[in-house]
Amino acid sequence: DIMYSKRGEEIKHYLNNHPEIKYYIIIDDDNDFLVEQQSHFVQTDPEIGFSIKEYQKCLKIYERDKERNKNFK
């Protein structure tokens, strides 16, 4: 297994090895992700967790990616 200094690099490696994944959302209370992953990232409050606010952000990301890939088979 390859060790990565950032979880963003781990995600990039995983996505590169799984081209069948069309959409993804990163949900975390810490931001150690790559620049190109920021548009897929929803940061939660470590004291509150996942709230309706984060749910709405996730839904927007999903809808955006679905629209961008609507002709993708």
Side-chain angles (χ1 to χ4, degrees):
D1 287 32
I2 300 171
M3 295 301 294
Y4 296 95
S5 60
K6 289 186 170 190
R7 288 179 297 152
E9 293 170 354
E10 294 174 343
I11 292 169
K12 181 178 181 177
H13 178 76
Y14 185 85
L15 291 172
N16 286 342
N17 287 300
H18 292 85
E20 70 277 8
I21 296 175
K22 299 177 195 176
Y23 319 115
Y24 72 96
I25 300 171
I26 301 166
I27 304 167
D28 206 302
D29 65 350
D30 191 21
N31 186 355
D32 60 347
F33 304 102
L34 303 177
V35 172
E36 65 264 25
Q37 296 166 340
Q38 293 300 310
S39 66
H40 296 271
F41 174 62
V42 175
Q43 189 162 12
T44 60
D45 183 317
E47 294 186 23
I48 297 172
F50 190 79
S51 70
I52 189 71
K53 177 180 155 188
E54 286 80 22
Y55 169 78
Q56 290 169 338
K57 288 180 182 179
C58 289
L59 192 56
K60 284 182 183 180
I61 291 170
Y62 174 76
E63 292 296 331
R64 178 202 67 207
D65 289 353
K66 185 177 169 188
E67 180 64 25
R68 286 181 182 170
N69 294 295
K70 65 182 172 183
N71 294 323
F72 184 76
K73 301 285 180 194

